[in-house]
Amino acid sequence: MQDIFVKDIAKYKGQEVRLKGWVRNIRSSGKLLFIIFRDGSGDLQTVAFRPDLGDEAFEKAKTLSLESSVIITGTPKAHQKLEGQYELAITSVEPVQIAPEYPIGKKEHGPDFLLSNRHLWIRAPKQWAILRVRHAVYYAICEYLNDNGFFRFDSPILTPNACEGTTTLFEVEYFDEGMAYLSQSGQLYLETGIMSLGRVYDFGPVFRAERSKTRKHLTEFWMMDAEAAYVDHEENMQIQEGLIRHVIRTVLEKCDKELEILERDKEALKAADAPFKKMTHYEAVEYLRERGSEISHGSDLGAPDELLLTEGSAVPVFIEKWPKEIKAFYMKRDPENENLVLGNDLIAPEGFGEIIGGSQREDDYDLLLGRMQAEKMPIEEYRWFLDLRKYGSVPHSGFGIGLERLITWMTGIHHIRETIPFPRMIYRIYP
Ligand code: 4AD
Ligand code: MG
């Protein structure tokens, strides 16, 4: 007997095959029993006919409940109603484990209940679709970087110092060495990597003790940091744009079925695959103030500002050249205006907010040291980072993508918590 996956069903028309998985749904009507079967690769309608199966086997099959595990044998044939789709005429049903009443029913559940049952909720069609988009986005990012000469360079998670300021650090007691911190971004380590490999990236969990309880914040999320030697601010943005457009195209190509399930507006995604817009922070503030925002020139953008900035724009918008006070210590000063830094954020359209933070890095030893001293950073802890400006310093740039932010945009879902298998937020650590 050939064991197959649902995704390959079309290749086996008229041939008896065996499938191993779970019961998504089950209902009977007279001599017929319909089992919506799923195996991870897809869903399949399977139909048992009492006279074909025999009374005893038919009755046994009827004991299957939602989410019971089951092995089904049968013959694929064209679906009676849905063109191009298949169903399975069952020849045998072998329950593996009969589940008691499944906690997630067909009625509406609140987010708290669903999150507390996240270990089960991930089986639901929408969650399945989101997790598959996550997989596609992850591989699309790696593919683009690989094709553009970047080497994977894994940065540590336990670190002696902060990358993105000290306000969102998670602390861990580290033996006799005192406090260690969970990494907020691997960037500083990637900067060492380019001096060996030229272009590098990492991809892993990062941690921020964010007090923000918004639909865009997690305390543990996945970041891809990329860093490249001899790349300036302009080229840095070109790389970001190339990468994001590759992700959009890949998701549209590989996740059509998933986007359907999620009711994602695919036209909006297609339209985003065009040259991105660019604005300086100054221009952005002017633009916002003309439209009624009370933002001032020295301020960071809030979520309403990000929304207003991209309203009516099909493509993401780069916001570049930020006031140095509101950006990280490592960003390079703008040679044309020393109050600004050569940093950029990338804001996704449709209100999905900031998906990338990047910059050219300060490569001058004295300027970097001065900036760190001004911010009263513990210089000794960062000696290794300063060394990079002493031994073969080069102009270089990089950026970090928030994987879950990007998935939220690709899938068009409302809240970031559904884009990661087990979300970590201020008020949630279970399961
Ligand atoms: O803008 P951020 O803070 O940039 C850095 O950490 C740089 N060191 C990256 C680099 O240059 N290599 O974070 C990068 C991205 C943000 O644009 C956002 O998409 C995401 O990480 N992000 C979060 N995603 C989910 N939850 C949070 N609390 C996030 N904070 C940032
Ligand atoms: Mg940022």
Side-chain angles (χ1 to χ4, degrees), residues 164 208 327 345 354 356-357:
E164 295 296 317
R208 300 208 182 166
K327 284 294 184 193
D345 279 8
E354 180 195 330
I356 296 186

Coordinates of all heavy atoms in Angstrom, one line a residue, residues 164 208 327 345 354 356-357, ligand 2:
E164 N 20.6 47.6 21.9 CA 19.5 48.6 21.6 C 19.1 49.3 22.8 O 17.9 49.5 23.1 CB 18.3 48.0 20.9 CG 18.6 47.4 19.5 CD 19.0 48.4 18.5 OE1 18.4 49.5 18.5 OE2 20.0 48.2 17.8
R208 N 13.1 41.5 24.1 CA 13.0 42.8 24.6 C 11.9 42.9 25.6 O 10.8 42.5 25.4 CB 12.6 43.8 23.4 CG 13.7 43.7 22.3 CD 13.8 44.9 21.5 NE 14.8 44.7 20.5 CZ 15.0 45.5 19.5 NH1 14.3 46.5 19.3 NH2 16.0 45.2 18.6
K327 N 18.1 57.9 17.9 CA 18.6 56.6 17.3 C 19.8 56.1 18.1 O 20.4 56.8 18.9 CB 18.9 56.8 15.8 CG 17.7 56.9 15.0 CD 16.9 55.6 14.9 CE 15.7 55.6 14.0 NZ 14.8 54.5 14.2
D345 N 14.4 53.5 8.8 CA 13.4 52.6 9.1 C 12.6 52.3 7.8 O 12.7 53.1 6.9 CB 12.3 53.2 10.1 CG 12.8 53.2 11.5 OD1 14.0 52.9 11.8 OD2 12.0 53.5 12.4
E354 N 6.6 49.6 11.3 CA 8.0 49.4 11.0 C 8.4 47.9 10.9 O 8.2 47.1 11.8 CB 8.8 50.0 12.2 CG 10.3 49.9 12.0 CD 11.0 50.2 13.3 OE1 10.6 51.0 14.1 OE2 12.1 49.6 13.4
I356 N 11.6 47.1 9.3 CA 13.1 47.1 9.3 C 13.6 48.3 10.0 O 13.1 49.4 9.9 CB 13.6 47.1 7.9 CG1 13.2 45.8 7.1 CG2 15.2 47.2 7.9 CD1 13.9 45.7 5.7
G357 N 14.7 48.1 10.8 CA 15.5 49.2 11.3 C 17.0 48.9 10.7 O 17.5 47.8 10.9
Ligands
MG2 MG 13.5 50.5 15.1

